[in-house]
Amino acid sequence: MPSSAIISVKNISKIYRVTDVETLALKNVSFQVNRGEFIAIMGPSGSGKSTLMHILGALDIPSSGQYLLDGMDVSKLSDDQLADIRNQKIGFIFQAFNLLPRTSALKNVCLPMAYAGISKAQRLSSAIELLTRVGLSDRMYHTSNQLSGGQQQRVAIARSLSLNPTIILADEPTGNIATAQAEEIMAIFQKLNSEGHTVIMITHEQDIADHARRILFIRDGKLESDHPVSKRRFSKLKV
Ligand SMILES: Nc1ncnc2c1ncn2[C@@H]1O[C@H](COP(=O)(O)OP(=O)(O)OP(=O)(O)O)[C@@H](O)[C@H]1O
Ligand SMILES: [Mg+2]
C-alpha cells in the first residue's frame, strides 16, 4: 500500500561550514508527516528549527540522510526540479513577512503567479479571492508599509497560497505580531488545514503551538520529542 506520508525524513543531518567553524545543526532527525497534518516545531534558539524547515521546503539539502517529499528523493533532484517542486507544492511564510514594501497587497499576491506564467486576468481574480479569504478585501490597494504587522502577515499568507501549495511552511509566523493578531493568523492556519493543506510552523510560544495537532521539539539539532497536542488543549480551540 502506498504510504500517505507527504514528508518522510530519515536520519538527516546538516553540517554548516563557515571558514574553520563547523556546526552540526541537525543530528540524525527522523519523522514522517501525513497529508493534512498540522504540526508545530518548537525548540530553543539555535536548535536547528529553521535549518529543518529549509530542508523540508527544498531550499537546502541535508548533508546526509534521506528526505522524501511526496515520494520523491529531494537530494536526487536538479536545481530546476527543486525550484519546480517548491513552486508547485510549497507555500512559505516568514517571520519578517518578506513583502515588497512600496507595492500593493494585490501586486504582492500576484507576483508568484506572474513568475509562474499565469495570465494577468487570472492572477488578478485569484489574488482578489485570496485576499478576501484572509479578510483583507478592504486593503487590496494598501502598500505593505501602510498595513499593520498582522495584516502584512495575512498578505504573506495569501501570497503563499497563490499557486495552491499542498504544504504550508511557516517560520515563526507570529513572531513579529501582537497576540490578538496572532490568534487571527492561527485561525487562518486552522481553516487552511481543515481545507486539506498540510501546515508546519515553527514557533517559540506554547500558546501558538497548541493550535497545531502535533508538536515536534528540537533541542541541539536532535528531535527530542514528537507528541500530539493534548485533546484537552485542542478542544478549547475555536476551529
Ligand atoms: N547558513 C548558515 N551557515 C552557517 N551556520 C548556520 C547557517 N544557518 C544556521 N546556522 C547555524 O546552525 C544552527 C541552527 O540554526 P537555525 O537557524 O536552524 O536555528 P533555529 O532553531 O531556527 O533558531 P532561532 O529560534 O533563533 O531562529 C545555529 O548554530 C546557527 O548558527
Ligand atoms: Mg529560526
Side-chain angles (χ1 to χ4, degrees):
M1 241 184 44
S3 153
S4 62
I6 191 158
I7 282 173
S8 174
V9 164
K10 286 181 198 154
N11 262 323
I12 59 165
S13 294
K14 178 73 184 178
I15 302 169
Y16 291 115
R17 283 189 191 88
V18 179
T19 58
D20 56 348
V21 180
E22 215 173 67
T23 307
L24 186 49
L26 291 174
K27 301 170 189 165
N28 292 318
V29 173
S30 301
F31 62 92
Q32 291 200 337
V33 177
N34 289 330
R35 230 168 256 281
E37 284 202 80
F38 184 1
I39 295 183
I41 299 177
M42 299 192 77
S45 183
S47 56
K49 304 179 298 296
S50 296
T51 299
L52 177 60
M53 187 151 282
H54 289 155
I55 291 173
L56 297 181
L59 290 166
D60 203 352
I61 53 168
S63 309
S64 61
Q66 189 188 47
Y67 172 30
L68 300 179
L69 174 56
D70 215 0
M72 279 171 298
D73 189 338
V74 171
S75 61
K76 300 215 165 88
L77 301 178
S78 68
D79 285 352
D80 282 352
Q81 287 170 318
L82 284 175
D84 285 346
I85 297 263
R86 282 196 296 273
N87 287 336
Q88 289 159 13
K89 293 196 188 293
I90 297 168
F92 290 99
I93 297 156
F94 301 97
Q95 178 174 4
F97 321 132
N98 296 5
L99 299 172
L100 296 180
R102 280 170 297 280
T103 305
S104 71
L106 199 58
K107 191 158 185 198
N108 267 289
V109 177
C110 281
L111 266 178
M113 295 187 271
Y115 292 132
I118 292 168
S119 75
K120 193 167 183 184
Q122 181 59 53
R123 55 188 197 245
L124 271 177
S125 77
S126 297
I128 290 168
E129 191 210 313
L130 288 167
L131 285 166
T132 305
R133 263 168 83 184
V134 297
L136 289 178
S137 53
D138 58 349
R139 290 290 186 277
M140 308 239 187
Y141 297 97
H142 281 58
T143 60
S144 312
N145 48 326
Q146 294 167 340
L147 295 171
S148 73
Q151 289 168 339
Q152 288 183 60
Q153 194 57 299
R154 283 190 271 157
V155 175
I157 293 171
R159 180 187 56 184
S160 79
L161 295 172
S162 60
L163 300 176
N164 195 26
T166 322
I167 305 171
I168 295 167
L169 296 180
D171 195 344
E172 298 196 45
T174 61
N176 276 336
I177 51 189
T179 310
Q181 297 201 322
E183 281 297 316
E184 287 171 18
I185 300 294
M186 286 304 105
I188 293 171
F189 277 15
Q190 288 185 325
K191 184 156 172 284
L192 293 171
N193 178 241
S194 71
E195 290 166 1
H197 294 278
T198 304
V199 180
I200 304 178
M201 67 172 177
I202 294 174
T203 180
H204 277 111
E205 295 166 78
Q206 188 68 51
D207 283 1
I208 293 296
D210 286 344
H211 290 77
R213 290 179 187 252
R214 174 180 167 197
I215 299 179
L216 305 183
F217 196 93
I218 311 276
R219 188 187 297 280
D220 200 17
K222 290 190 195 130
L223 181 58
E224 184 178 87
S225 70
D226 177 353
H227 58 81
V229 173
S230 76
K231 287 212 175 64
R232 186 183 59 77
R233 276 190 171 135
F234 197 75
S235 63
K236 277 200 303 192
L237 304 170
K238 301 167 264 156
V239 183

